Amino acid sequence: MSGRAEILAGLKKSLATSGEAESARKNAVAARLKDTPAGIIPARGQLPADARVALFTCMAESVQTSVEQVAANDDVPAAVARLLAQRNLPACLRIGADRNLAAMPWEANPALEVRHGPSDGKDATAVSHAIGAIAETGTLVLTSGTDNPTTLNFLPDLHIIVVSRATIHGDMEAVWSDIRQTYGKAAMPRVVNMVTGPSRSADIEQTLILGAHGPRALHVIIVEG
């Protein structure tokens, strides 16, 4: 027996990975994966819906994120057009294939030029749809894929994220539960990005710089309906 095989055999023996003990271990792992038990969840975000949205807004604004609320999905394109005009930015944006965004009346705002697909790094503004948000930290949660390409999270200078009021949860665990229900455990998204405020860094002389590794500005549109 080689030294490697001897070491592995010793580990296997010490872990009791054979017979009834191994079967019990496998059953325990399978049960945990099936039930996905929750850990300790802070009480901070366990609030009624209105208070939860207020907490999310407060926490997001505390990290240089601007937040506004609109009544319905149909109001989002007009809100985006207003924001770009207020910031004196080109009326051009990029979105993915997200069906929620695609169903919005972008054509009702002819001044807006809407491009589709992942960013090539030349887009000033991108609009994404978040699968959920975490009230206790002011965090947006976005899943990767053609619906909301990950490049939109990092390359444009202004990132606008649309999130439904109903998906603003008090804690991270609730958002993960939504992701499991949406995708299923056998088909989880390849990447889940959690975005809290615009990109920033204070690595150089402790001077805060926005846009160090991503967008300089983050704007959130909460859809009531």
Side-chain angles (χ1 to χ4, degrees):
M1 180 181 293
S2 67
R4 178 177 180 275
E6 188 173 348
I7 291 172
L8 292 176
L11 290 173
K12 186 175 182 180
K13 182 178 179 181
S14 65
L15 294 173
T17 56
S18 62
E20 293 183 3
E22 175 64 0
S23 178
R25 281 161 50 88
K26 288 182 177 180
N27 290 339
V29 171
R32 184 171 182 83
L33 291 174
K34 179 182 178 181
D35 298 334
T36 56
I40 298 174
I41 297 176
R44 175 181 173 79
Q46 308 310 302
L47 302 167
D50 289 347
R52 201 162 55 237
V53 172
L55 175 61
F56 168 80
T57 301
C58 177
M59 296 304 296
E61 290 178 342
S62 72
V63 287
Q64 292 78 50
T65 299
S66 53
V67 181
E68 70 173 299
Q69 299 187 41
V70 298
N73 280 339
D74 286 356
D75 299 319
V76 170
V80 171
R82 284 195 305 272
L83 178 70
L84 295 181
Q86 290 167 1
R87 301 194 179 197
N88 198 28
L89 293 172
C92 181
L93 57 96
R94 183 172 291 276
I95 64 175
D98 185 271
R99 63 182 181 180
N100 296 283
L101 297 179
M104 296 173 182
W106 299 100
E107 68 283 353
N109 292 268
L112 284 177
E113 179 185 348
V114 181
R115 301 171 181 172
H116 299 269
S119 177
D120 60 2
K122 299 178 182 179
D123 303 293
T125 303
V127 179
S128 299
H129 179 250
I131 195 170
I134 304 169
E136 64 178 348
T137 56
T139 300
L140 285 305
V141 182
L142 301 103
T143 54
S144 65
T146 56
D147 286 355
N148 292 282
T150 296
T151 52
L152 303 189
N153 297 344
F154 297 101
L155 298 182
D157 212 38
L158 167 63
H159 193 194
I160 302 170
I161 302 180
V162 180
V163 63
S164 169
R165 184 178 190 273
T167 62
I168 298 178
H169 297 290
D171 51 82
M172 178 176 64
E173 288 81 358
V175 175
W176 278 112
S177 179
D178 274 4
I179 294 174
R180 292 190 188 99
Q181 291 179 20
T182 300
Y183 288 87
K185 291 187 178 183
M188 293 288 278
R190 185 175 187 184
V191 176
V192 176
N193 287 294
M194 295 188 176
V195 177
T196 308
S199 172
R200 73 198 65 213
S201 175
D203 291 344
I204 301 175
E205 297 183 356
Q206 297 184 352
T207 300
L208 181 64
I209 299 175
L210 296 179
H213 310 101
R216 294 177 185 272
L218 178 65
H219 183 75
V220 178
I221 300 176
I222 301 173
V223 179
E224 293 284 337

